[in-house]
Amino acid sequence: MKNIYKNIFQAVSNNEKLLAVLIDPDKFSVNKAEDFIGKVNQSIATHIFVGGSEVDDNATEVLAITIKKYTQLPIVLFPGDVTQITNKADGLLFLSLISGRNPEYLIGKHVDSVSKLKETNLEIIPTGYILIENGKETAVQRVTETAPLSRANIQLIADTAKAGELLGMKLIYLEAGSGASEPVSPKIISKVSRHLQVPLIVGGGIRTKHQLEEAYNSGADLIVIGTAFEDDETFFEEIRK
Ligand code: 1GP
């Protein structure tokens, strides 16, 4: 048991910043896992997230088993679908897409996943997932058939996040979408974090150390980066421990 949520909460209380490296099983070759995870271990990363919008059956499990051989960091599922649930990870972000109005992604998939979840020891962390417009269509938008929240309507984004917290969600995740041309703006992060008690995750389109620091300084507690590491592993050198 890795006490994932307790440790996130504790870190936030101590003003520490957290970083998750997101690995998409669909885009990642397990042959390079040892080398890649070695770089993750030497970086400031605190978590490994595993998931994607469209992933073949079994790919997530194979990847989780492989990663575990090379790291002590907590492996957290960030699933696009029920098929991505595997007991080989440590935890699961139980995501409800609260920016959208598609019942399947608000509660439907969750109901479908219960029989599978009952057979695992995963630490399940209820997470309010908020998709924010970034200028182009994202995979989440396409797959879930929901519209993102307008980045101009900051009050609506903040109210959506707060409503998630009031419903009992333990994390709020502001998502610009994988490979977004622009990350969630500092203005949005700062407004949302000011009114939130639970830890705030921010991801999508963060590619530079400057953007990472800007997001932390605006109030992000845990940042998720995937594409930047997929495209250029030298980025790990900039964020060494
Ligand atoms: C996507 O927030 C994550 O769900 C990470 O996005 O791949 O753009 O880093 P990137």
Side-chain angles (χ1 to χ4, degrees):
M1 190 73 180
K2 296 221 176 198
N3 287 319
I4 300 166
Y5 185 72
K6 200 172 145 209
N7 291 337
I8 292 175
F9 204 86
Q10 192 65 50
V12 172
S13 315
N14 295 340
N15 240 335
E16 292 163 25
K17 297 297 184 182
L18 304 167
L19 174 67
V21 175
L22 173 65
I23 305 180
D24 184 339
D26 205 36
K27 298 183 188 156
F28 188 83
S29 154
V30 286
N31 301 329
K32 66 170 196 180
E34 183 172 7
D35 180 57
F36 187 88
I37 300 299
K39 289 177 186 163
V40 174
N41 289 334
Q42 287 168 13
S43 77
I44 58 169
T46 52
H47 295 77
I48 296 177
F49 283 6
V50 174
S53 296
E54 293 149 304
V55 176
D56 285 347
D57 289 4
N58 274 329
T60 307
E61 181 153 309
V62 171
L63 181 60
I65 293 169
T66 312
I67 295 172
K68 227 175 201 170
K69 284 200 265 179
Y70 305 117
T71 190
Q72 299 290 321
L73 294 177
I75 301 170
V76 180
L77 298 174
F78 171 54
D81 196 70
V82 181
T83 57
Q84 292 174 39
I85 295 171
T86 163
N87 200 21
K88 304 297 177 191
D90 302 304
L92 165 87
L93 297 186
F94 204 42
L95 301 164
S96 183
L97 183 61
I98 57 176
S99 54
R101 296 295 178 267
N102 181 344
E104 274 305 299
Y105 291 88
L106 282 163
I107 182 67
K109 300 272 183 192
H110 312 73
V111 175
D112 295 345
S113 69
V114 169
S115 56
K116 209 166 173 185
L117 287 175
K118 280 200 295 197
E119 289 167 11
T120 75
N121 302 314
L122 292 168
E123 180 180 336
I124 298 167
I125 309 172
T127 303
Y129 191 47
I130 301 175
L131 186 60
I132 296 167
E133 166 222 2
N134 84 97
K136 63 174 187 187
E137 195 190 53
T138 61
V140 181
Q141 198 177 336
R142 184 166 35 79
V143 171
T144 64
E145 296 177 334
T146 66
L149 297 185
S150 159
R151 59 187 158 194
N153 198 342
I154 300 183
Q155 190 60 50
L156 178 63
I157 298 170
D159 288 350
T160 304
K162 194 68 190 175
E165 177 184 291
L166 294 172
L167 277 166
M169 289 161 183
K170 289 179 160 179
L171 295 170
I172 295 294
Y173 190 141
L174 297 180
E175 171 72 275
S178 185
S181 38
E182 276 180 57
V184 180
S185 73
K187 214 168 151 188
I188 294 174
I189 298 171
S190 125
K191 172 91 175 177
V192 171
S193 70
R194 235 178 300 139
H195 297 279
L196 218 55
Q197 311 290 321
V198 297
L200 179 63
I201 304 181
V202 176
I206 296 174
R207 296 169 179 278
T208 65
K209 201 172 174 196
H210 174 72
Q211 288 171 326
L212 181 71
E213 282 166 357
E214 201 171 42
Y216 283 143
N217 293 338
S218 310
D221 298 307
L222 190 160
I223 290 179
V224 184
I225 300 183
T227 307
F229 297 124
E230 273 165 31
D231 290 352
D232 179 9
E233 291 182 23
T234 62
F235 188 33
F236 281 117
E237 284 159 29
E238 288 180 51
I239 55 154
R240 279 175 81 97
K241 270 191 240 193

